[in-house]
Amino acid sequence: QTGMFTYDPGYTSTASCTSEVTFIDGDKGELRYRGVEIEELATNHEYLESVYLLLNSKLPTKEELQDFDLELRHRSFLHQGLNDLFIAFPSNSHPMATLSAATAALSTFYFSHLDVCTEEELQVMARRIIAKMPTIAAYAYRTSIGAPFIQPDIDRGFTENFLYMMRAYPGGKMHRGINGEDVIRDIEIKALDTIFTLHADHEQNASTTSVRNVASTGAHPYVAISSGISALWGSAHGGANESVIEQLEMIGHVDNVDAFIARAKDPEDDFRLMGFGHRVYKNFDPRARILKELQVQLQYELKLDSHLMQIASKIEEIALNDEYFVSRKLYPNIDFYSGVILTALKIPISMFTPVFVIGRTVGWITQWMEFKKTKGAKIARPRQLYVGK
Ligand code: SDX
């Protein structure tokens, strides 16, 4: 039934809900947002067009896109009452912990009539959290390095503003960028736009299921989003993008790849190749293919770390021809390629999963809205197979 979650040991063969948001064909390696192919969106549309499409089930006109962009800029500021929460966190806190807490705390400033919401109230709830997530993420990062917050600048678009809030010195002077310049270049914004587009939604993955579970109890949407942030943090899920870079650095040289592949195949060793495998894709993750092409395009412009790329290419070359991986249909997933680009954008590794959060907030809140509009939706209540005495 809609909203009821029924699982079976395979977890991927039973529908947990009905949805019109995102379609995945794991065998064909296909992904569509509201019926539009991910390749079409990532190549021929601006990031905010994909956000608007997910929220409104249609691509925006030029005017609608301008109004949407302007509204998100104005909604990107945080209530001053939140600042103390960031400062209360130990300065070495992982930004994901702060992100989850601050997003939950946001619910106290924006109470919603949880039972009855008009379409516009739902849309405002959604646009607000989408607009504020980059600011929350940037503030979480600045807290983790003991740096003062940089307020959003409404003369900068969604993605440029995030890089600005991450990099700028107090007073707005920019950190030295990739080539020592003090501006954020269009190529950096386009690269991060693509990453946000590819991470926007992905059907009923673990974190979205958490969001829908919490939504089904009638809790505030921002605490549902906070539960999604917590679920995404795990290295088996969104935290993998951080683990991939750590793993590539641990491998250290192409000559060491064989030994690590052997470990990943050893049933006695719980070592897994991070960025490989997927619950649904038993073919190439279409997002991984787009990011791999982006890596090649940006290699020189963004000075991607060729050392890490060589190790990653060696892993791919061996794993994609190795019976263990081929027989288990283990292919690179989105996390295998995103880290090298994020590193080149001077985004610290602790912020890789928060970047995933900024992208996925769009899908989480879209699916929250869909749940809220589903007639007769019931509270999630998975059952178990009792194997006790
Ligand atoms: C994301 O669901 C989504 O949509 C998620 C996501 C999204 O956009 O929301 O796409 C984002 O989370 C991508 C996945 C990121 N995680 C990682 O890259 C971590 C490394 N990958 C794995 O831990 C693993 O592949 C999972 C978690 C992704 C899936 O794990 P499962 O469900 O255990 O994989 P499986 O059941 O398909 O495994 C089958 C076999 C097992 O071996 P056998 O028991 O048959 O001997 O494949 C093995 C597994 O041990 N295996 C791996 C492996 N992944 C699976 N062996 C080595 N390295 C790996 N990465």
Side-chain angles (χ1 to χ4, degrees):
Q1 285 153 314
T2 312
M4 277 299 282
F5 287 76
T6 55
Y7 285 94
D8 69 18
Y11 285 90
T12 50
S13 58
T14 311
S16 59
C17 65
T18 60
S19 177
E20 298 173 358
V21 179
T22 293
F23 172 78
I24 298 176
D25 183 322
D27 294 327
K28 294 185 189 152
E30 286 178 6
L31 168 59
R32 294 197 283 271
Y33 293 162
R34 299 287 189 188
V36 183
E37 301 282 352
I38 191 66
E39 293 82 357
E40 165 62 19
L41 291 170
T43 316
N44 302 323
H45 291 274
E46 288 180 38
Y47 166 57
L48 288 188
E49 289 184 85
S50 296
V51 177
Y52 189 96
L53 169 68
L54 282 164
L55 288 176
N56 298 287
S57 304
K58 74 176 189 73
L59 284 163
T61 61
K62 197 161 168 288
E63 294 70 31
E64 286 168 335
L65 185 62
Q66 280 168 352
D67 294 346
F68 186 59
D69 178 354
L70 201 56
E71 180 179 349
L72 294 184
R73 294 179 191 217
H74 285 285
R75 289 190 182 278
S76 62
F77 294 83
L78 296 186
H79 190 294
Q80 286 299 296
L82 265 180
N83 287 1
D84 298 345
L85 176 125
F86 287 99
I87 294 162
F89 266 78
S91 64
N92 61 348
S93 302
H94 192 291
M96 284 295 282
T98 323
L99 204 50
S100 176
T103 302
L106 206 59
S107 62
T108 50
F109 297 103
Y110 304 103
F111 190 74
S112 78
H113 339 288
L114 297 177
D115 43 354
V116 180
C117 292
T118 62
E119 172 66 22
E120 182 49 18
E121 280 174 327
L122 291 174
Q123 286 284 346
V124 166
M125 267 292 172
R127 294 194 294 261
R128 182 190 294 123
I129 192 69
I130 291 169
K132 292 183 190 312
M133 198 54 81
T135 311
I136 299 173
Y139 280 28
Y141 170 62
R142 306 282 295 204
T143 302
S144 74
I145 59 170
F149 303 141
I150 298 294
Q151 293 266 5
D153 170 359
I154 57 169
D155 293 332
R156 297 173 193 263
F158 183 92
T159 301
E160 182 185 357
N161 231 337
F162 172 62
L163 290 171
Y164 168 69
M165 292 186 282
M166 283 285 291
R167 287 184 192 169
Y169 286 116
K173 193 93 180 87
M174 288 299 294
H175 260 187
R176 284 285 160 239
I178 289 164
N179 293 324
E181 75 291 337
D182 60 357
V183 291
I184 297 170
R185 294 188 299 159
D186 288 346
I187 190 166
E188 296 177 271
I189 297 167
K190 178 76 187 100
L192 196 48
D193 271 346
T194 303
I195 286 180
F196 284 151
T197 300
L198 297 177
H199 285 82
D201 194 48
H202 210 239
E203 204 222 60
Q204 303 312 315
N205 56 84
S207 53
T208 301
T209 300
S210 300
V211 171
R212 279 187 173 254
N213 269 326
V214 175
S216 76
T217 70
H220 193 288
Y222 297 169
V223 294
I225 299 288
S226 173
S227 79
I229 295 171
S230 302
L232 189 76
W233 194 359
S235 63
H237 193 9
N241 58 13
E242 192 175 322
S243 309
V244 166
I245 294 295
E246 285 165 351
Q247 199 165 84
L248 294 178
E249 286 168 349
M250 178 175 61
I251 293 172
H253 192 278
V254 287
D255 294 346
N256 304 331
V257 167
D258 284 314
F260 279 90
I261 295 270
R263 283 192 57 194
K265 293 161 59 177
D266 179 354
E268 301 309 312
D269 189 334
D270 62 4
F271 178 85
R272 281 193 165 185
L273 267 190
M274 301 316 281
F276 258 75
H278 200 274
R279 293 303 285 137
V280 177
Y281 288 125
K282 299 307 173 190
N283 191 326
F284 229 83
D285 180 337
R287 304 166 299 175
R289 196 180 283 121
I290 293 168
L291 280 182
K292 186 177 179 182
E293 283 162 21
L294 189 64
Q295 269 192 5
V296 173
Q297 287 164 24
L298 299 175
Q299 190 163 0
Y300 301 107
E301 284 269 11
L302 289 189
K303 294 189 173 59
L304 299 190
D305 183 324
S306 53
H307 175 64
L308 291 183
M309 287 176 73
Q310 278 165 12
I311 297 171
S313 301
K314 182 79 174 170
I315 291 171
E316 251 194 289
E317 180 196 313
I318 297 174
L320 295 184
N321 296 293
D322 182 296
E323 192 277 334
Y324 172 90
F325 294 91
V326 172
S327 64
R328 291 167 176 79
K329 299 183 179 177
L330 301 176
Y331 294 93
N333 60 52
I334 189 167
D335 296 308
F336 191 67
Y337 299 101
S338 56
V340 170
I341 296 172
L342 293 175
T343 303
L345 294 174
K346 297 283 183 281
I347 291 179
I349 194 166
S350 66
M351 287 299 290
F352 282 14
T353 312
V355 164
F356 198 144
V357 169
I358 293 171
R360 189 53 55 87
T361 294
V362 180
W364 286 333
I365 200 70
T366 298
Q367 297 215 27
W368 170 78
M369 279 203 295
E370 181 175 66
F371 181 87
K372 288 292 285 183
K373 292 191 277 192
T374 304
K375 294 265 174 293
K378 295 196 179 305
I379 188 169
R381 181 54 176 92
R383 292 309 308 275
Q384 64 179 21
L385 201 59
Y386 182 69
V387 291
K389 288 196 247 352

